[in-house]
Amino acid sequence: MAWRNCYKGALPFTAMVATECINVGLNILYKASTLKGLSFYVFILYSSAISTLVLLPLAFIFRGRTAGLPTIKWPLINRILLLVLIGFLAQLCGYKGIEYSSPTLASAISNLSPAFTYILAVIFRMENLALRSSITQAKIIGTLVSISGAFVVLFYKGPTIISPSQSLSLSLHSPRGTSETKWVIGGLLLAVEYLLFSGWSIVQTQVMKIYPAEIVVVFLYALCGTIISAPVCLMAEGNLRAWTLRPDVALVTIIYSGFFGSSISVVLAWALHLKGPVYVSIFKPLSIVIAAAMGVIFLGDALYLGSLIGSIILSIGFYAVIWAKAKEELSLGSSTDDKTPLLNS
């Protein structure tokens, strides 16, 4: 009983927080690499290929030791191809948005993900919109409060709490040398990324209902993504010198993305299967707090009163949604044992 509660409660929570930490780290590394000349298309193809190679032996081991898995058929392949298309477009918008702006803005814009996911989940009838229910009210209010807290972190600085000796950070506002037009375009691209990510989460949830084997599904996703992106990236990046990597931050970023990117994909597939898309998306605003903390600890950023106030507001909304999900699962009781524990439908 204790392990069951840990598996469905503490473990997904810890895994999603770790995922956001890794994502913020990847965004910072990618921005540093683009300043050194790393091409988006080189990054995508190489990191996808590394992820595929990492997952290949794991997929065969998991498939061989798991009994009762259905045969891989075209309906599953079609949905995985749809995942690849959505994922590639989301990556294109997201990383191009970071190139035009900064990782901090990317973390801030991610607060739109819960709202997008909740709306899409209601449209596709994966979420029960009972406005008189305290659970639904908590989800709606918690999402809005977390979004409000994220905007406070982004737009209100206030007095400085911790003053670094030398700031190495990427500013909350448009960095020096970046035009206001590019800053706005970057923000719009990042917003499109998280709209696509919300749709990706819902499609991924449906895939896991058809084939409940996270590692195998993620391997097929990485393999199809590598095969499809290879000709696109090779045609888009015609400079042969760009494909030659040197032992610098660009190589570190690609290897980091290849190894940890595959791990994140497995964790997301598992969390979507276990908890559903709304639970996964509510962790996205947490990346702003993580980005602020990492900036202070590792990059020497200043910590402002606005960041502290916004983080408190965000946490209130964050735990309101977590409370609603916990109460929802408790109300379902033992009837969920023979079902996929997604959202109410």
Side-chain angles (χ1 to χ4, degrees):
M1 185 66 179
W3 165 246
R4 179 191 177 96
N5 292 335
C6 178
Y7 181 79
K8 291 192 174 183
L11 193 58
F13 182 90
T14 304
M16 291 307 303
V17 172
T19 296
E20 292 306 319
C21 290
I22 293 172
N23 270 330
V24 172
L26 176 58
N27 288 342
I28 293 174
L29 280 173
Y30 179 78
K31 180 64 177 183
S33 298
T34 57
L35 296 175
K36 295 291 186 179
L38 176 64
S39 167
F40 163 78
Y41 301 103
V42 173
F43 168 77
I44 288 296
L45 182 55
Y46 280 160
S47 59
S48 298
I50 292 174
S51 295
T52 303
L53 293 175
V54 170
L55 291 168
L56 177 61
L58 297 177
F60 278 104
I61 292 172
F62 183 85
R63 170 85 179 163
R65 293 185 177 182
T66 305
L69 288 176
T71 305
I72 298 177
K73 297 181 179 179
W74 273 112
L76 175 63
I77 299 297
N78 289 337
R79 284 175 171 82
I80 290 177
L81 291 176
L82 178 60
L83 274 179
V84 171
L85 176 61
I86 297 174
F88 181 78
L89 292 176
Q91 284 184 317
L92 176 61
C93 293
Y95 287 118
K96 284 297 181 182
I98 292 174
E99 285 185 33
Y100 288 142
S101 55
S102 77
T104 308
L105 182 62
S107 295
I109 296 298
S110 69
N111 71 79
L112 296 174
S113 183
F116 287 150
T117 303
Y118 191 81
I119 293 171
L120 290 176
V122 170
I123 292 174
F124 289 102
R125 298 182 180 181
M126 300 178 67
E127 182 77 11
N128 183 22
L129 188 62
L131 295 178
R132 294 185 179 182
S133 168
S134 61
I135 294 177
T136 301
Q137 292 172 0
K139 287 181 181 178
I140 295 174
I141 295 173
T143 299
L144 294 176
V145 170
S146 66
I147 290 174
S148 301
F151 278 117
V152 171
V153 172
L154 178 61
F155 294 112
Y156 173 66
K157 277 191 173 182
T160 304
I161 299 176
I162 299 177
S163 298
S165 57
Q166 183 179 8
S167 178
L168 302 175
S169 65
L170 295 167
S171 174
L172 278 173
H173 306 288
S174 59
R176 188 176 300 174
T178 300
S179 68
E180 291 296 330
T181 301
K182 284 189 174 181
W183 189 254
V184 172
I185 292 174
L188 292 175
L189 287 172
L190 290 167
V192 173
E193 176 200 9
Y194 286 105
L195 175 60
L196 291 171
F197 173 79
S198 300
W200 184 94
S201 299
I202 291 176
V203 176
Q204 175 78 306
T205 303
Q206 298 301 316
V207 170
M208 294 309 304
K209 291 176 68 176
I210 298 174
Y211 198 87
E214 290 86 354
I215 294 179
V216 177
V217 169
V218 173
F219 166 71
L220 292 174
Y221 172 78
L223 177 62
C224 294
T226 302
I227 294 173
I228 293 174
S229 64
V232 176
C233 292
L234 290 171
M235 288 188 294
E237 183 52 74
N239 183 11
L240 296 180
R241 292 184 178 180
W243 295 96
T244 303
L245 298 178
R246 300 176 181 85
D248 55 12
V249 67
L251 180 60
V252 172
T253 302
I254 290 173
I255 295 175
Y256 180 97
S257 175
F259 277 92
F260 288 102
S262 58
S263 302
I264 289 174
S265 298
V266 173
V267 171
L268 286 177
W270 168 72
L272 286 167
H273 184 208
L274 186 68
K275 290 289 190 178
V278 172
Y279 182 89
V280 170
S281 68
I282 195 60
F283 284 84
K284 299 308 297 181
L286 187 63
S287 64
I288 299 178
V289 181
I290 298 171
M294 290 181 68
V296 171
I297 296 172
F298 298 109
L299 300 179
D301 287 355
L303 178 62
Y304 297 98
L305 179 63
S307 298
L308 181 60
I309 295 175
S311 298
I312 294 173
I313 297 174
L314 191 151
S315 298
I316 293 173
F318 173 81
Y319 286 112
V321 178
I322 296 298
W323 171 85
K325 288 297 298 178
K327 187 175 181 180
E328 181 181 55
E329 291 180 2
L330 184 62
S331 66
L332 290 176
S334 59
S335 62
T336 59
D337 292 342
D338 57 347
K339 297 180 181 179
T340 302
L342 299 172
L343 305 168
N344 279 349
S345 56

